[in-house]
Amino acid sequence: MAPATLLGSTGASASSDPSGLVDRFGRRAVDLRVSLTERCNLRCTYCMPAAGLPFAPDDQLMTAAEIERLVRIGTSRFGVRKVRFTGGEPMLRHDLVDVIARCAALPDAPELSLTTNAIGLSHRAAALYAAGLRRVNVSLDTVDPSVFAEVTRRPFLDKVIAGLSAAHDAGLAIKVNAVLLRGVNDALAPDLMRWCLERGYELRFIEQMPLDPDHAWDRTSMVTAAETRAMLSESFELVPDDAPRDGAPAERFRVLARTADGGVGPELGTIGIIASITESFCADCTRTRLTADGHVRSCLFSDEETSVLGPMRDGASDDEVAELWRRAMWAKPRDHGDDTDDLVHPTRGMSAIGG
Ligand code: SAM
Ligand code: SF4
């Protein structure tokens, strides 16, 4: 395909900064999320319908070589420093170790991490570490087996726990992501926190976002960051961490035990609370995303997508792909609306975008 067709004829001034993925509001994207698949072996109620979704066929997904090429364009031209693989469930990609190894072997290799439900991680953690993976974020909303089965619609808690221990043994840095659902797992949040602190896993609570494909999200049922802080403070002392957030979405807290007489005991570790809805951090966003079918998505909440995989398969050069990517990011929205009436509800659900 000719460059003119690829890039269109609309104003080239839109992406005027050739040095990076800059948008109209002066933000620069240096953190890349790459979705590897839309498929998943769980059906978390806030993410996927019980019956699953119509998944893109495998031949429409980026191959390991195409992912490597896009990551190379990101690191070499845009200064991308961190790449996080996600999905869907990225562990379902049989070539996951190859994907990691290719990206780790790039000049100026970025820091590589994986967001996963950890099912199957017990068998692959060591190989992933050897390939160059250094961090995992494991989704775990409760350590109560029956509540886990209710949230995920699958009875696999023991597999997740085995995956976490294998990741720890392999030397991977671990964070645990939890979404609290009112009346389901919210009252168990202090138990989950204690469990993670005892094992040295940094737990982060994430506000539920309107990214469920059923569009059942409801502002009133969402457990807010403020409610989470208040609930945890009944059992622990939370001390805000003053270190600069540097674009990171989580507000971090040092956790101290409470003594029997209500005083403050020893420090137990650190947690994070991600207030994506009620205390939006859009102004500091450093993220750019690639969907599993090779579209640039500038924001989780924007339905605007730009295919880079199609043009790549039609013979686009690195320069042409980079220009498409820049233009897509230039159009990144300022924010996703506030948490009341104008909050954007995107069409694709979280599993199809890549969380
Ligand atoms: N399957 C992997 C996992 O669960 O970690 C990776 C993909 S998942 C979409 C990535 C993250 O998105 C998970 O931590 C999950 O809890 C979170 N997530 C999914 N749907 C969400 C929603 N509606 N609101 C907030 N977080 C959500
Ligand atoms: Fe699957 Fe992750 Fe979505 Fe749960 S949150 S259904 S594990 S993609």
Side-chain angles (χ1 to χ4, degrees):
M1 185 181 289
T5 314
L6 282 174
L7 301 178
S9 57
T10 51
S13 62
S15 49
S16 51
D17 184 339
S19 64
L21 293 171
V22 186
D23 69 32
R24 295 166 294 161
F25 305 99
R27 294 167 297 189
R28 182 167 176 201
V30 287
D31 294 340
L32 171 60
R33 298 269 164 116
V34 182
S35 176
L36 298 181
T37 177
E38 298 176 4
R39 292 174 192 276
C40 191
N41 39 16
L42 296 184
R43 292 288 180 272
C44 302
T45 54
Y46 49 79
C47 181
M48 280 241 207
L53 288 166
F55 302 119
D58 285 352
D59 64 359
Q60 286 179 21
L61 302 188
M62 296 181 290
T63 63
E66 289 164 340
I67 293 165
E68 177 193 349
R69 180 174 170 200
L70 285 164
V71 169
R72 178 175 49 70
I73 290 172
T75 52
S76 63
R77 293 172 181 247
F78 304 140
V80 164
R81 299 170 305 180
K82 295 182 183 169
V83 177
R84 171 174 296 283
F85 298 103
T86 180
E89 177 42 52
M91 297 285 295
L92 293 181
R93 281 280 296 234
H94 297 298
D95 57 355
L96 179 61
V97 170
D98 184 34
V99 169
I100 302 280
R102 284 169 177 267
C103 295
L106 289 170
D108 298 324
E111 178 189 295
L112 299 174
S113 58
L114 181 72
T115 301
T116 173
N117 62 28
I119 294 171
L121 189 56
S122 59
H123 308 299
R124 296 168 93 186
L128 287 167
Y129 186 91
L133 187 71
R134 288 296 173 263
R135 304 177 168 276
V136 283
N137 281 27
V138 172
S139 300
L140 178 61
D141 301 320
T142 176
V143 284
D144 178 302
S146 64
V147 178
F148 179 93
E150 183 182 350
V151 174
T152 65
R153 302 191 180 101
R154 299 286 187 273
F156 295 153
L157 176 62
D158 50 348
K159 295 182 195 297
V160 177
I161 292 176
L164 273 164
S165 329
H168 181 262
D169 293 347
L172 291 162
I174 296 173
K175 285 186 180 153
V176 170
N177 291 346
V179 177
L180 295 181
L181 306 172
R182 197 178 298 287
V184 180
N185 65 341
D186 54 342
L188 297 171
D191 293 347
L192 176 64
M193 183 161 116
R194 205 170 282 111
W195 189 90
C196 288
L197 289 167
E198 282 167 9
R199 288 158 181 79
Y201 308 152
E202 184 170 324
L203 174 62
R204 289 131 41 101
F205 293 101
I206 306 173
E207 280 180 345
Q208 186 188 358
M209 295 180 273
L211 290 164
D212 53 318
D214 290 337
H215 296 288
W217 182 90
D218 165 15
R219 172 71 180 78
T220 55
S221 68
M222 179 184 73
V223 178
T224 65
E227 287 177 287
T228 304
R229 282 193 295 266
M231 182 175 23
L232 298 174
S233 297
E234 287 171 16
S235 320
F236 302 91
E237 184 75 17
L238 300 188
V239 181
D241 185 341
D242 293 334
R245 276 164 77 166
D246 191 23
E251 184 180 9
R252 297 175 85 234
F253 296 88
R254 291 163 50 222
V255 182
L256 296 109
R258 283 267 170 74
T259 55
D261 59 0
V264 174
E267 185 160 342
L268 303 174
T270 305
I271 63 154
I273 300 182
I274 303 184
S276 326
I277 302 295
T278 58
E279 297 160 29
S280 148
F281 34 83
C282 300
D284 296 322
C285 183
T286 54
R287 241 160 254 155
T288 181
R289 297 172 182 276
L290 289 168
T291 60
D293 56 0
H295 288 73
V296 173
R297 190 152 170 140
S298 63
C299 170
L300 262 183
F301 288 87
S302 165
D303 277 332
E304 292 290 318
E305 293 183 352
T306 301
S307 177
V308 280
L309 183 60
M312 269 168 54
R313 289 185 177 176
D314 286 336
S317 67
D318 284 1
D319 284 347
E320 290 164 347
V321 172
E323 185 58 16
L324 285 168
W325 199 339
R326 269 197 200 101
R327 287 188 180 208
M329 291 306 295
W330 181 257
K332 183 177 172 101
R334 183 170 56 90
D335 56 34
H336 54 61
D338 65 17
D339 65 333
T340 52
D341 291 343
D342 69 339
L343 185 60
V344 177
H345 292 234
T347 311
R348 278 211 212 209
M350 187 69 128
S351 60
I353 301 168

PDB file of all heavy atoms in Angstrom, residues 30-34 67 70-72 74-75 80-86 99-100 103 106 109-114 133 135 290:
ATOM      1  N   VAL A  30       5.041   6.754  27.320  1.00  0.00           N
ATOM      2  CA  VAL A  30       6.260   5.944  27.334  1.00  0.00           C
ATOM      3  C   VAL A  30       6.025   4.550  27.913  1.00  0.00           C
ATOM      4  O   VAL A  30       6.934   3.738  27.975  1.00  0.00           O
ATOM      5  CB  VAL A  30       7.402   6.643  28.119  1.00  0.00           C
ATOM      6  CG1 VAL A  30       7.959   7.814  27.329  1.00  0.00           C
ATOM      7  CG2 VAL A  30       6.939   7.086  29.487  1.00  0.00           C
ATOM      8  N   ASP A  31       4.786   4.295  28.355  1.00  0.00           N
ATOM      9  CA  ASP A  31       4.437   2.970  28.886  1.00  0.00           C
ATOM     10  C   ASP A  31       3.487   2.298  27.900  1.00  0.00           C
ATOM     11  O   ASP A  31       2.433   2.848  27.592  1.00  0.00           O
ATOM     12  CB  ASP A  31       3.711   3.092  30.233  1.00  0.00           C
ATOM     13  CG  ASP A  31       4.615   3.657  31.303  1.00  0.00           C
ATOM     14  OD1 ASP A  31       5.838   3.594  31.122  1.00  0.00           O
ATOM     15  OD2 ASP A  31       4.099   4.160  32.306  1.00  0.00           O
ATOM     16  N   LEU A  32       3.881   1.135  27.436  1.00  0.00           N
ATOM     17  CA  LEU A  32       3.103   0.438  26.410  1.00  0.00           C
ATOM     18  C   LEU A  32       2.425  -0.795  27.000  1.00  0.00           C
ATOM     19  O   LEU A  32       3.081  -1.611  27.661  1.00  0.00           O
ATOM     20  CB  LEU A  32       4.048   0.031  25.265  1.00  0.00           C
ATOM     21  CG  LEU A  32       3.502  -0.898  24.187  1.00  0.00           C
ATOM     22  CD1 LEU A  32       2.300  -0.289  23.474  1.00  0.00           C
ATOM     23  CD2 LEU A  32       4.611  -1.230  23.175  1.00  0.00           C
ATOM     24  N   ARG A  33       1.113  -0.903  26.792  1.00  0.00           N
ATOM     25  CA  ARG A  33       0.378  -2.123  27.142  1.00  0.00           C
ATOM     26  C   ARG A  33       0.108  -2.885  25.855  1.00  0.00           C
ATOM     27  O   ARG A  33      -0.465  -2.309  24.916  1.00  0.00           O
ATOM     28  CB  ARG A  33      -0.976  -1.795  27.767  1.00  0.00           C
ATOM     29  CG  ARG A  33      -0.885  -1.032  29.053  1.00  0.00           C
ATOM     30  CD  ARG A  33      -0.849  -1.987  30.223  1.00  0.00           C
ATOM     31  NE  ARG A  33      -0.397  -1.274  31.386  1.00  0.00           N
ATOM     32  CZ  ARG A  33      -1.124  -1.064  32.467  1.00  0.00           C
ATOM     33  NH1 ARG A  33      -2.353  -1.515  32.538  1.00  0.00           N
ATOM     34  NH2 ARG A  33      -0.622  -0.442  33.502  1.00  0.00           N
ATOM     35  N   VAL A  34       0.477  -4.142  25.812  1.00  0.00           N
ATOM     36  CA  VAL A  34       0.251  -4.948  24.615  1.00  0.00           C
ATOM     37  C   VAL A  34      -0.667  -6.107  24.975  1.00  0.00           C
ATOM     38  O   VAL A  34      -0.319  -6.961  25.807  1.00  0.00           O
ATOM     39  CB  VAL A  34       1.576  -5.526  24.070  1.00  0.00           C
ATOM     40  CG1 VAL A  34       1.316  -6.319  22.793  1.00  0.00           C
ATOM     41  CG2 VAL A  34       2.587  -4.420  23.806  1.00  0.00           C
ATOM     42  N   ILE A  67       4.692  -8.421  17.093  1.00  0.00           N
ATOM     43  CA  ILE A  67       4.765  -7.749  18.402  1.00  0.00           C
ATOM     44  C   ILE A  67       6.182  -7.206  18.610  1.00  0.00           C
ATOM     45  O   ILE A  67       6.374  -6.057  19.018  1.00  0.00           O
ATOM     46  CB  ILE A  67       4.376  -8.735  19.528  1.00  0.00           C
ATOM     47  CG1 ILE A  67       2.890  -9.108  19.403  1.00  0.00           C
ATOM     48  CG2 ILE A  67       4.674  -8.141  20.898  1.00  0.00           C
ATOM     49  CD1 ILE A  67       2.487 -10.323  20.203  1.00  0.00           C
ATOM     50  N   LEU A  70       6.683  -4.033  16.625  1.00  0.00           N
ATOM     51  CA  LEU A  70       6.002  -2.860  17.182  1.00  0.00           C
ATOM     52  C   LEU A  70       6.679  -2.389  18.472  1.00  0.00           C
ATOM     53  O   LEU A  70       6.812  -1.182  18.712  1.00  0.00           O
ATOM     54  CB  LEU A  70       4.521  -3.175  17.412  1.00  0.00           C
ATOM     55  CG  LEU A  70       3.707  -3.199  16.111  1.00  0.00           C
ATOM     56  CD1 LEU A  70       2.357  -3.873  16.312  1.00  0.00           C
ATOM     57  CD2 LEU A  70       3.513  -1.781  15.567  1.00  0.00           C
ATOM     58  N   VAL A  71       7.124  -3.332  19.284  1.00  0.00           N
ATOM     59  CA  VAL A  71       7.822  -2.937  20.519  1.00  0.00           C
ATOM     60  C   VAL A  71       9.141  -2.242  20.153  1.00  0.00           C
ATOM     61  O   VAL A  71       9.522  -1.237  20.757  1.00  0.00           O
ATOM     62  CB  VAL A  71       8.040  -4.159  21.439  1.00  0.00           C
ATOM     63  CG1 VAL A  71       8.985  -3.818  22.589  1.00  0.00           C
ATOM     64  CG2 VAL A  71       6.700  -4.659  21.985  1.00  0.00           C
ATOM     65  N   ARG A  72       9.801  -2.736  19.112  1.00  0.00           N
ATOM     66  CA  ARG A  72      11.053  -2.090  18.690  1.00  0.00           C
ATOM     67  C   ARG A  72      10.780  -0.663  18.207  1.00  0.00           C
ATOM     68  O   ARG A  72      11.510   0.276  18.539  1.00  0.00           O
ATOM     69  CB  ARG A  72      11.720  -2.907  17.567  1.00  0.00           C
ATOM     70  CG  ARG A  72      13.002  -2.272  17.054  1.00  0.00           C
ATOM     71  CD  ARG A  72      13.721  -3.122  16.031  1.00  0.00           C
ATOM     72  NE  ARG A  72      12.899  -3.631  14.953  1.00  0.00           N
ATOM     73  CZ  ARG A  72      12.366  -2.883  13.966  1.00  0.00           C
ATOM     74  NH1 ARG A  72      12.592  -1.576  13.928  1.00  0.00           N
ATOM     75  NH2 ARG A  72      11.632  -3.455  13.025  1.00  0.00           N
ATOM     76  N   GLY A  74       8.366   1.189  19.195  1.00  0.00           N
ATOM     77  CA  GLY A  74       8.039   1.957  20.401  1.00  0.00           C
ATOM     78  C   GLY A  74       9.287   2.367  21.179  1.00  0.00           C
ATOM     79  O   GLY A  74       9.410   3.516  21.616  1.00  0.00           O
ATOM     80  N   THR A  75      10.214   1.446  21.351  1.00  0.00           N
ATOM     81  CA  THR A  75      11.397   1.762  22.172  1.00  0.00           C
ATOM     82  C   THR A  75      12.379   2.638  21.405  1.00  0.00           C
ATOM     83  O   THR A  75      12.906   3.613  21.944  1.00  0.00           O
ATOM     84  CB  THR A  75      12.115   0.476  22.637  1.00  0.00           C
ATOM     85  OG1 THR A  75      12.369  -0.339  21.494  1.00  0.00           O
ATOM     86  CG2 THR A  75      11.289  -0.300  23.623  1.00  0.00           C
ATOM     87  N   VAL A  80       9.780   4.380  24.513  1.00  0.00           N
ATOM     88  CA  VAL A  80       8.995   3.525  25.421  1.00  0.00           C
ATOM     89  C   VAL A  80       9.947   2.817  26.376  1.00  0.00           C
ATOM     90  O   VAL A  80      10.954   2.234  25.968  1.00  0.00           O
ATOM     91  CB  VAL A  80       8.155   2.504  24.605  1.00  0.00           C
ATOM     92  CG1 VAL A  80       7.635   1.375  25.483  1.00  0.00           C
ATOM     93  CG2 VAL A  80       7.002   3.221  23.910  1.00  0.00           C
ATOM     94  N   ARG A  81       9.647   2.903  27.696  1.00  0.00           N
ATOM     95  CA  ARG A  81      10.555   2.350  28.718  1.00  0.00           C
ATOM     96  C   ARG A  81      10.035   1.078  29.332  1.00  0.00           C
ATOM     97  O   ARG A  81      10.771   0.279  29.896  1.00  0.00           O
ATOM     98  CB  ARG A  81      10.733   3.352  29.864  1.00  0.00           C
ATOM     99  CG  ARG A  81      11.319   4.679  29.502  1.00  0.00           C
ATOM    100  CD  ARG A  81      11.203   5.631  30.675  1.00  0.00           C
ATOM    101  NE  ARG A  81       9.814   5.742  31.119  1.00  0.00           N
ATOM    102  CZ  ARG A  81       9.391   6.499  32.121  1.00  0.00           C
ATOM    103  NH1 ARG A  81      10.240   7.185  32.840  1.00  0.00           N
ATOM    104  NH2 ARG A  81       8.110   6.548  32.440  1.00  0.00           N
ATOM    105  N   LYS A  82       8.686   0.949  29.314  1.00  0.00           N
ATOM    106  CA  LYS A  82       8.085  -0.211  29.979  1.00  0.00           C
ATOM    107  C   LYS A  82       7.069  -0.830  29.043  1.00  0.00           C
ATOM    108  O   LYS A  82       6.294  -0.098  28.409  1.00  0.00           O
ATOM    109  CB  LYS A  82       7.354   0.223  31.240  1.00  0.00           C
ATOM    110  CG  LYS A  82       8.238   0.780  32.316  1.00  0.00           C
ATOM    111  CD  LYS A  82       7.384   1.129  33.510  1.00  0.00           C
ATOM    112  CE  LYS A  82       8.233   1.770  34.596  1.00  0.00           C
ATOM    113  NZ  LYS A  82       7.413   2.344  35.660  1.00  0.00           N
ATOM    114  N   VAL A  83       7.058  -2.154  29.002  1.00  0.00           N
ATOM    115  CA  VAL A  83       6.052  -2.867  28.212  1.00  0.00           C
ATOM    116  C   VAL A  83       5.388  -3.891  29.117  1.00  0.00           C
ATOM    117  O   VAL A  83       6.071  -4.688  29.772  1.00  0.00           O
ATOM    118  CB  VAL A  83       6.686  -3.572  26.993  1.00  0.00           C
ATOM    119  CG1 VAL A  83       5.632  -4.359  26.223  1.00  0.00           C
ATOM    120  CG2 VAL A  83       7.353  -2.560  26.075  1.00  0.00           C
ATOM    121  N   ARG A  84       4.069  -3.822  29.159  1.00  0.00           N
ATOM    122  CA  ARG A  84       3.304  -4.775  29.964  1.00  0.00           C
ATOM    123  C   ARG A  84       2.425  -5.595  29.025  1.00  0.00           C
ATOM    124  O   ARG A  84       1.656  -5.027  28.244  1.00  0.00           O
ATOM    125  CB  ARG A  84       2.446  -4.029  30.993  1.00  0.00           C
ATOM    126  CG  ARG A  84       1.453  -4.893  31.736  1.00  0.00           C
ATOM    127  CD  ARG A  84       0.768  -4.105  32.831  1.00  0.00           C
ATOM    128  NE  ARG A  84       1.723  -3.686  33.837  1.00  0.00           N
ATOM    129  CZ  ARG A  84       2.224  -4.488  34.781  1.00  0.00           C
ATOM    130  NH1 ARG A  84       1.818  -5.749  34.853  1.00  0.00           N
ATOM    131  NH2 ARG A  84       3.079  -4.041  35.646  1.00  0.00           N
ATOM    132  N   PHE A  85       2.544  -6.919  29.094  1.00  0.00           N
ATOM    133  CA  PHE A  85       1.707  -7.793  28.272  1.00  0.00           C
ATOM    134  C   PHE A  85       0.463  -8.157  29.066  1.00  0.00           C
ATOM    135  O   PHE A  85       0.535  -8.457  30.263  1.00  0.00           O
ATOM    136  CB  PHE A  85       2.483  -9.045  27.860  1.00  0.00           C
ATOM    137  CG  PHE A  85       3.677  -8.713  27.016  1.00  0.00           C
ATOM    138  CD1 PHE A  85       4.955  -8.731  27.546  1.00  0.00           C
ATOM    139  CD2 PHE A  85       3.513  -8.321  25.701  1.00  0.00           C
ATOM    140  CE1 PHE A  85       6.054  -8.380  26.771  1.00  0.00           C
ATOM    141  CE2 PHE A  85       4.604  -7.968  24.913  1.00  0.00           C
ATOM    142  CZ  PHE A  85       5.879  -7.999  25.452  1.00  0.00           C
ATOM    143  N   THR A  86      -0.675  -8.154  28.367  1.00  0.00           N
ATOM    144  CA  THR A  86      -1.928  -8.390  29.056  1.00  0.00           C
ATOM    145  C   THR A  86      -2.904  -9.054  28.095  1.00  0.00           C
ATOM    146  O   THR A  86      -2.522  -9.617  27.087  1.00  0.00           O
ATOM    147  CB  THR A  86      -2.444  -7.051  29.652  1.00  0.00           C
ATOM    148  OG1 THR A  86      -3.659  -7.287  30.328  1.00  0.00           O
ATOM    149  CG2 THR A  86      -2.638  -5.972  28.603  1.00  0.00           C
ATOM    150  N   VAL A  99       7.595 -14.485  22.812  1.00  0.00           N
ATOM    151  CA  VAL A  99       7.282 -13.043  22.746  1.00  0.00           C
ATOM    152  C   VAL A  99       8.186 -12.283  23.714  1.00  0.00           C
ATOM    153  O   VAL A  99       8.810 -11.274  23.365  1.00  0.00           O
ATOM    154  CB  VAL A  99       5.791 -12.786  23.092  1.00  0.00           C
ATOM    155  CG1 VAL A  99       5.519 -11.291  23.284  1.00  0.00           C
ATOM    156  CG2 VAL A  99       4.872 -13.360  22.015  1.00  0.00           C
ATOM    157  N   ILE A 100       8.288 -12.799  24.931  1.00  0.00           N
ATOM    158  CA  ILE A 100       9.111 -12.124  25.961  1.00  0.00           C
ATOM    159  C   ILE A 100      10.583 -12.128  25.538  1.00  0.00           C
ATOM    160  O   ILE A 100      11.268 -11.101  25.611  1.00  0.00           O
ATOM    161  CB  ILE A 100       8.965 -12.840  27.329  1.00  0.00           C
ATOM    162  CG1 ILE A 100       7.509 -12.886  27.783  1.00  0.00           C
ATOM    163  CG2 ILE A 100       9.902 -12.235  28.381  1.00  0.00           C
ATOM    164  CD1 ILE A 100       6.960 -11.657  28.395  1.00  0.00           C
ATOM    165  N   CYS A 103      11.392  -9.600  22.810  1.00  0.00           N
ATOM    166  CA  CYS A 103      11.378  -8.197  23.263  1.00  0.00           C
ATOM    167  C   CYS A 103      12.555  -7.924  24.203  1.00  0.00           C
ATOM    168  O   CYS A 103      13.127  -6.827  24.188  1.00  0.00           O
ATOM    169  CB  CYS A 103      10.049  -7.868  23.940  1.00  0.00           C
ATOM    170  SG  CYS A 103       8.666  -7.963  22.779  1.00  0.00           S
ATOM    171  N   LEU A 106      15.832  -7.022  22.377  1.00  0.00           N
ATOM    172  CA  LEU A 106      15.925  -5.789  21.585  1.00  0.00           C
ATOM    173  C   LEU A 106      17.006  -4.867  22.165  1.00  0.00           C
ATOM    174  O   LEU A 106      17.230  -4.857  23.382  1.00  0.00           O
ATOM    175  CB  LEU A 106      14.585  -5.039  21.629  1.00  0.00           C
ATOM    176  CG  LEU A 106      13.432  -5.672  20.850  1.00  0.00           C
ATOM    177  CD1 LEU A 106      12.128  -4.954  21.178  1.00  0.00           C
ATOM    178  CD2 LEU A 106      13.706  -5.617  19.355  1.00  0.00           C
ATOM    179  N   ALA A 109      16.292  -2.681  25.516  1.00  0.00           N
ATOM    180  CA  ALA A 109      15.103  -3.458  25.908  1.00  0.00           C
ATOM    181  C   ALA A 109      14.372  -2.762  27.044  1.00  0.00           C
ATOM    182  O   ALA A 109      14.989  -2.300  27.999  1.00  0.00           O
ATOM    183  CB  ALA A 109      15.525  -4.856  26.331  1.00  0.00           C
ATOM    184  N   PRO A 110      13.050  -2.668  26.923  1.00  0.00           N
ATOM    185  CA  PRO A 110      12.275  -2.048  27.998  1.00  0.00           C
ATOM    186  C   PRO A 110      12.110  -3.024  29.162  1.00  0.00           C
ATOM    187  O   PRO A 110      12.387  -4.214  29.030  1.00  0.00           O
ATOM    188  CB  PRO A 110      10.920  -1.792  27.323  1.00  0.00           C
ATOM    189  CG  PRO A 110      10.815  -2.887  26.303  1.00  0.00           C
ATOM    190  CD  PRO A 110      12.202  -3.173  25.833  1.00  0.00           C
ATOM    191  N   GLU A 111      11.645  -2.502  30.285  1.00  0.00           N
ATOM    192  CA  GLU A 111      11.269  -3.381  31.400  1.00  0.00           C
ATOM    193  C   GLU A 111      10.009  -4.144  30.982  1.00  0.00           C
ATOM    194  O   GLU A 111       9.054  -3.540  30.507  1.00  0.00           O
ATOM    195  CB  GLU A 111      10.979  -2.521  32.624  1.00  0.00           C
ATOM    196  CG  GLU A 111      10.534  -3.333  33.817  1.00  0.00           C
ATOM    197  CD  GLU A 111      10.054  -2.410  34.933  1.00  0.00           C
ATOM    198  OE1 GLU A 111      10.879  -1.644  35.469  1.00  0.00           O
ATOM    199  OE2 GLU A 111       8.860  -2.469  35.250  1.00  0.00           O
ATOM    200  N   LEU A 112      10.038  -5.470  31.161  1.00  0.00           N
ATOM    201  CA  LEU A 112       8.925  -6.290  30.683  1.00  0.00           C
ATOM    202  C   LEU A 112       8.123  -6.835  31.857  1.00  0.00           C
ATOM    203  O   LEU A 112       8.694  -7.396  32.805  1.00  0.00           O
ATOM    204  CB  LEU A 112       9.466  -7.465  29.860  1.00  0.00           C
ATOM    205  CG  LEU A 112      10.263  -7.067  28.610  1.00  0.00           C
ATOM    206  CD1 LEU A 112      10.862  -8.307  27.954  1.00  0.00           C
ATOM    207  CD2 LEU A 112       9.381  -6.309  27.618  1.00  0.00           C
ATOM    208  N   SER A 113       6.820  -6.697  31.788  1.00  0.00           N
ATOM    209  CA  SER A 113       5.969  -7.237  32.842  1.00  0.00           C
ATOM    210  C   SER A 113       4.722  -7.858  32.221  1.00  0.00           C
ATOM    211  O   SER A 113       4.451  -7.677  31.030  1.00  0.00           O
ATOM    212  CB  SER A 113       5.607  -6.156  33.851  1.00  0.00           C
ATOM    213  OG  SER A 113       4.949  -5.104  33.195  1.00  0.00           O
ATOM    214  N   LEU A 114       3.988  -8.588  33.074  1.00  0.00           N
ATOM    215  CA  LEU A 114       2.845  -9.366  32.590  1.00  0.00           C
ATOM    216  C   LEU A 114       1.701  -9.202  33.578  1.00  0.00           C
ATOM    217  O   LEU A 114       1.912  -9.307  34.788  1.00  0.00           O
ATOM    218  CB  LEU A 114       3.283 -10.838  32.562  1.00  0.00           C
ATOM    219  CG  LEU A 114       2.311 -11.895  32.085  1.00  0.00           C
ATOM    220  CD1 LEU A 114       2.119 -11.788  30.573  1.00  0.00           C
ATOM    221  CD2 LEU A 114       2.853 -13.295  32.415  1.00  0.00           C
ATOM    222  N   LEU A 133      11.377 -11.789  31.530  1.00  0.00           N
ATOM    223  CA  LEU A 133      10.287 -11.162  32.292  1.00  0.00           C
ATOM    224  C   LEU A 133      10.777 -10.860  33.706  1.00  0.00           C
ATOM    225  O   LEU A 133      11.515 -11.654  34.291  1.00  0.00           O
ATOM    226  CB  LEU A 133       9.081 -12.113  32.347  1.00  0.00           C
ATOM    227  CG  LEU A 133       7.814 -11.524  32.957  1.00  0.00           C
ATOM    228  CD1 LEU A 133       7.202 -10.495  32.015  1.00  0.00           C
ATOM    229  CD2 LEU A 133       6.793 -12.622  33.253  1.00  0.00           C
ATOM    230  N   ARG A 135       8.501  -8.830  36.092  1.00  0.00           N
ATOM    231  CA  ARG A 135       7.398  -8.484  37.001  1.00  0.00           C
ATOM    232  C   ARG A 135       6.121  -9.148  36.552  1.00  0.00           C
ATOM    233  O   ARG A 135       5.865  -9.246  35.354  1.00  0.00           O
ATOM    234  CB  ARG A 135       7.122  -6.974  36.975  1.00  0.00           C
ATOM    235  CG  ARG A 135       8.297  -6.154  37.297  1.00  0.00           C
ATOM    236  CD  ARG A 135       8.029  -4.663  37.205  1.00  0.00           C
ATOM    237  NE  ARG A 135       9.152  -3.995  37.805  1.00  0.00           N
ATOM    238  CZ  ARG A 135       9.263  -3.791  39.108  1.00  0.00           C
ATOM    239  NH1 ARG A 135       8.279  -4.125  39.924  1.00  0.00           N
ATOM    240  NH2 ARG A 135      10.332  -3.244  39.613  1.00  0.00           N
ATOM    241  N   LEU A 290      -1.775  -1.349  22.586  1.00  0.00           N
ATOM    242  CA  LEU A 290      -2.006  -2.101  21.351  1.00  0.00           C
ATOM    243  C   LEU A 290      -2.974  -3.228  21.681  1.00  0.00           C
ATOM    244  O   LEU A 290      -2.728  -4.016  22.609  1.00  0.00           O
ATOM    245  CB  LEU A 290      -0.702  -2.705  20.835  1.00  0.00           C
ATOM    246  CG  LEU A 290       0.333  -1.729  20.263  1.00  0.00           C
ATOM    247  CD1 LEU A 290       1.667  -2.446  20.065  1.00  0.00           C
ATOM    248  CD2 LEU A 290      -0.159  -1.152  18.926  1.00  0.00           C
TER     249      LEU A 290
END
